[in-house]
Amino acid sequence: MATPFAFGEALVLGLASGPACVASCGPVLVPSLLAERTGLRLNGRYLSTFLATRLLGYLLFAAVAWELGTLVSFRTTERSWVFAVIHLLLAGVLLRYAWSVGRACNHSCASPELVTIGGAGKHRIPGAAVLGFLTGVSLCPPFVAAGVRAAEAANVAAAMLFFAVFFLGTSLWFVPFAGFGWLRRNEAVTTVARMAMVLIAFYYLYAGLMTLIRKSVYGY
């Protein structure tokens, strides 16, 4: 059974890793958040969705980490495949998201609805949920460090609880992003946000493809 000390360690690790998590997820979160309509309530809902699915990614990773026994055995060559797939997925989602923002604004830039990925209808997948989950399973160094500690837990429930507390510590750094709801939106802000998403998408596309090519050619 996990001890209070372990949970305290998870919280401190999460708080200490917060800036690194913001640096990693910020380039994805900020443009997509700025592309949304103004309003503290809407931005809060968007951020809450992003963080909720990010937590889902954390818990999934915790379960996998515990089942593996230790992430030390999860070699760099194996992690490279995960990095590549996640980067390519992020690239696709960001490009689709940028396209959705433009399409929504062509219809009505004053619409208060969240921009979503997918066509019309009740089965649309919120962009915040997809981006939150994908960034939640990205293997940044603090994330892997937390995974190693979670893998040492007595059972999978303790491992997932460790990651939940770690998530809480990192999430405190994201709360100020809700303040973007006070910023006025106009066509120029939306256009810049879309351009930023496209540029970031091409970065992830390049990173993912280069990882796959390096793995295929050089084996690492």
Side-chain angles (χ1 to χ4, degrees), residues 174-191:
F174 288 88
V175 173
F177 286 113
F180 285 170
W182 298 110
L183 298 178
R184 293 181 60 85
R185 305 291 200 280
N186 54 42
E187 189 175 352
V189 172
T190 302
T191 300

Side-chain angles (χ1 to χ4, degrees), residues 77-138:
T77 54
E78 295 171 332
R79 289 203 302 268
S80 64
W81 287 108
V82 180
F83 272 117
V85 171
I86 292 175
H87 286 168
L88 291 176
L89 288 175
L90 276 171
V93 170
L94 285 170
L95 288 173
R96 183 68 175 88
Y97 202 103
W99 179 81
S100 296
V101 171
R103 185 181 181 187
C105 280
N106 286 336
H107 285 85
S108 174
C109 277
S111 173
E113 295 181 359
L114 287 176
V115 175
T116 56
I117 296 174
K122 63 181 181 180
H123 298 297
R124 293 179 299 181
I125 303 174
V130 179
L131 294 175
F133 179 78
L134 289 177
T135 56
V137 293
S138 62

Side-chain angles (χ1 to χ4, degrees), residues 148-172:
V148 172
R149 295 293 293 117
E152 299 172 353
N155 52 60
V156 67
M160 295 176 72
L161 189 55
F162 183 94
F163 250 89
V165 177
F166 173 77
F167 163 83
L168 177 63
T170 62
S171 295
L172 294 177

